[in-house]
Amino acid sequence: MPAATPFLILLGGELSPGPRLAAQIEGARVIAADGGMRHAATLGLVPELWVGDFDSSDTALKARFSGVERVEHPVAKDMTDGELAIEAALERGADRLVFAGALGGERSDHALQNLLLGVAAARRHAVPVLMTSGHEEAWPVLPGGQTLDLPEGSLFSVLALSDLEELTLEGVQWPLTRHFVPMGHSLTLSNRVGPRGGGIGVTLGAGTGVLLARPFDLAG
């Protein structure tokens, strides 16, 4: 079988490095989206490509990474810098995507757009997607099944972006079996990972959601 080609996309939100994040991005090829390049130095990485309109990248950042291939786009464009980075990663053979700096930050619209962007990428291109700030993590929840590696006791929520049909949650404090969750319903808010080894199981019959987790929030 061909070798896996994971890609790390550096976005402009918050990012706190640590051992868990390091393990998640180990061996990944790297593309920076505009101001997300500031995370490259923090992570000790040099991206292979830098894309965007560069309205969020100052002179010092451009000078520091002057050797990185740069593809510049106009400010007035129909795609976000993150979308441009994803498109480039897929063109280069990405079969898994990690968005670092995808959550948090000063603008809620950007953070929400990053979540939707990750869900859309997973749905359209059938690739696994992880979105992370280092403190929080998010995975698309789409029809089918997946196992997520989260520490015992971790706080997590499943947000229903549409009606969720036949949602099953296994290995958690409050499990569900083929449950119907209406869009926006709070039933799946603030659950916790149980003592089961091997991660938690998430299965969905139909619909679209996102699982948001706090792997280091183990209180209560």
Side-chain angles (χ1 to χ4, degrees):
M1 293 189 57
T5 309
F7 266 80
L8 169 64
I9 308 296
L10 299 179
L11 300 175
E14 297 175 357
L15 188 64
S16 299
R20 181 175 172 86
L21 177 60
Q24 291 168 333
I25 65 176
E26 184 177 4
R29 297 168 63 180
V30 187
I31 294 177
D34 198 351
M37 179 61 95
R38 73 182 191 276
H39 299 311
T42 303
L43 297 171
L45 301 171
V46 177
E48 64 184 67
L49 183 66
W50 192 2
V51 301
D53 54 29
F54 297 93
D55 64 348
S56 301
S57 301
D58 60 25
T59 302
L61 190 63
K62 291 176 182 177
R64 181 169 189 172
F65 291 98
S66 60
V68 174
E69 179 186 355
R70 191 184 305 178
V71 177
E72 190 161 353
H73 295 261
V75 174
K77 59 187 187 300
D78 295 330
M79 299 174 69
T80 66
D81 297 328
E83 287 175 290
L84 293 169
I86 292 169
E87 187 176 77
L90 293 169
E91 288 174 353
R92 294 175 182 227
D95 56 17
R96 180 169 68 87
L97 296 171
V98 178
F99 301 166
L103 309 172
E106 296 180 355
R107 292 188 55 176
S108 297
D109 56 343
H110 283 188
L112 289 171
Q113 176 59 30
N114 287 338
L115 281 175
L116 295 175
L117 190 60
V119 171
R123 185 166 61 183
R124 293 173 187 165
H125 304 290
V127 294
V129 172
L130 165 64
M131 297 161 276
T132 179
S133 68
H135 285 303
E136 290 186 301
E137 299 173 359
W139 292 265
V141 176
L142 300 171
Q146 59 184 315
T147 300
L148 302 179
D149 176 23
L150 286 166
E152 178 182 346
S154 298
L155 181 70
F156 77 92
S157 298
V158 176
L159 305 182
L161 303 181
S162 72
D163 290 348
L164 303 182
E165 299 181 14
E166 298 188 347
L167 175 65
T168 296
L169 300 175
E170 299 177 291
V172 302
Q173 186 172 1
W174 293 288
L176 294 177
T177 302
R178 302 182 67 179
H179 205 91
F180 175 74
V181 182
M183 177 180 176
H185 200 282
S186 62
L187 173 68
T188 49
L189 201 68
S190 297
N191 205 334
R192 288 198 179 273
V193 177
R196 170 187 174 183
I200 65 172
V202 183
T203 306
L204 183 64
T208 301
V210 62
L211 188 147
L212 276 162
R214 297 175 60 85
F216 306 107
D217 189 344
L218 309 177

